[in-house]
Amino acid sequence: MALKRESILERLIPTGCQTLDMLLMGGLPTKALTLIYGEAETGKTTFTIQCAVNCARMERKAMIIDSDGSFSSQRLIQIAQQDYEEIAERIILARPENFEQQSYIIDQLENILTEKVLLIAVDTITSLYRTELAKNPKKTFMLNRELNRQLAYLSQLAKARNIAVMATSQVRSVIQTENLTVEPVATRVLKFWADIVINFKPTPQPHTFKATLEKHPEQKRLKTCFFKITQTGITSL
């Protein structure tokens, strides 16, 4: 009798969108760092809040590090709907004002996390990094090294604590031959430490987006799906 292959990923947090859950082979996995990157207004923050809500519905806690200032209690109410108050009690929110504060919060995670916490999300992990880089271009090497350290720590924390860690990232334009493409800010560092990489892209249809799974430990080829953003969150088409 053949033994069932043990997955290198553990528990799954539903995203609340059937097509994205299928893309992720069931949901957002623990013991993994997941990177979601894309242009502005492609649903990265909505996806972050929605995963936190679903984590809370599992009677676990989620921590959102809102480095971009994008978190909205109104959006949380729209997504959580009738059980908003119960959900809100299980979501921890931290709002760093600069890249140094982001480093401090990430460094303190090991000390402040309880066994109830199943998800940590940093939205957007490169926002304050870019702000600091613009102010101090001579510190590029130091800032890159610090971003690398933060991602290494988050990756290790996911595996050591058996939790899901998610980071979102902005994009920058890259010219490749005759085409203009986009890739995450600090691409090499982010893609090195991320176990799973998903790109959100707009489509010609309003409120409709394409998700491309670019990296996954149990998938060796690109996979895509489509989703839409509504008043109550991200849903399948």
Side-chain angles (χ1 to χ4, degrees):
M1 180 178 177
L3 293 175
K4 183 179 179 181
R5 182 174 66 90
E6 184 178 352
S7 172
I8 60 175
L9 304 175
E10 297 292 327
R11 291 170 293 180
L12 298 168
I13 299 170
T15 67
C17 172
Q18 186 178 12
T19 52
L20 285 171
D21 280 341
M22 290 175 65
L23 191 74
L24 284 163
M25 299 176 66
L28 200 67
T30 59
K31 286 195 172 182
L33 170 58
T34 300
L35 169 67
I36 309 291
Y37 78 95
E39 300 170 40
E41 306 298 326
T42 52
K44 300 185 299 294
T45 297
T46 296
F47 182 77
T48 300
I49 296 172
Q50 191 157 307
C51 287
V53 167
N54 287 322
C55 177
R57 286 186 173 139
M58 297 168 68
E59 298 189 351
R60 302 297 294 271
K61 290 188 176 182
M63 181 173 187
I64 297 176
I65 301 174
D66 180 27
S67 298
D68 209 25
S70 298
F71 180 88
S72 160
S73 57
Q74 182 60 36
R75 194 67 177 126
L76 177 61
I77 292 170
Q78 290 173 342
I79 294 170
Q81 298 185 55
Q82 65 274 5
D83 52 350
Y84 159 72
E85 291 185 3
E86 185 179 353
I87 294 295
E89 290 179 358
R90 297 190 184 124
I91 295 177
I92 306 160
L93 184 66
R95 278 192 162 138
E97 296 181 0
N98 52 52
F99 193 52
E100 184 178 354
Q101 286 185 12
Q102 177 174 299
S103 298
Y104 177 79
I105 291 168
I106 289 173
D107 284 345
Q108 293 301 310
L109 289 174
E110 184 71 42
N111 299 323
I112 64 178
L113 291 183
T114 66
E115 291 184 359
K116 279 284 188 181
V117 175
L118 188 61
L119 171 66
I120 296 171
V122 188
D123 182 38
T124 306
I125 197 164
T126 50
S127 177
L128 296 172
Y129 158 85
R130 289 184 76 179
T131 300
E132 193 65 30
L133 198 60
K135 290 192 298 184
N136 298 290
K138 292 182 179 180
K139 293 184 178 180
T140 298
F141 176 78
M142 184 188 74
L143 292 169
N144 285 345
R145 184 176 61 183
E146 175 55 28
L147 181 63
N148 182 77
R149 190 191 67 81
Q150 290 180 22
L151 287 158
Y153 180 81
L154 289 169
S155 176
Q156 187 274 333
L157 190 66
K159 294 165 180 63
R161 297 290 291 265
N162 192 15
I163 60 174
V165 177
M166 181 176 67
T168 66
S169 175
Q170 301 150 325
V171 296
R172 63 188 180 93
S173 299
V174 179
I175 298 175
Q176 295 181 342
T177 60
E178 297 179 355
N179 299 319
L180 186 68
T181 62
V182 296
E183 63 181 25
V185 174
T187 308
R188 191 174 300 175
V189 173
L190 286 168
K191 289 192 172 181
F192 176 81
W193 288 110
D195 301 288
I196 297 167
V197 178
I198 301 177
N199 175 221
F200 284 1
K201 279 185 178 178
T203 70
Q205 286 74 36
H207 312 297
T208 302
F209 302 86
K210 179 182 179 180
T212 302
L213 182 66
E214 298 181 348
K215 180 182 179 183
H216 193 287
E218 296 182 357
Q219 289 285 345
K220 301 305 178 188
R221 61 184 178 85
L222 291 178
K223 291 176 63 180
T224 62
C225 76
F226 293 88
F227 64 89
K228 62 182 178 181
I229 301 177
T230 69
Q231 187 173 357
T232 57
I234 289 176
T235 63
S236 303
L237 292 178

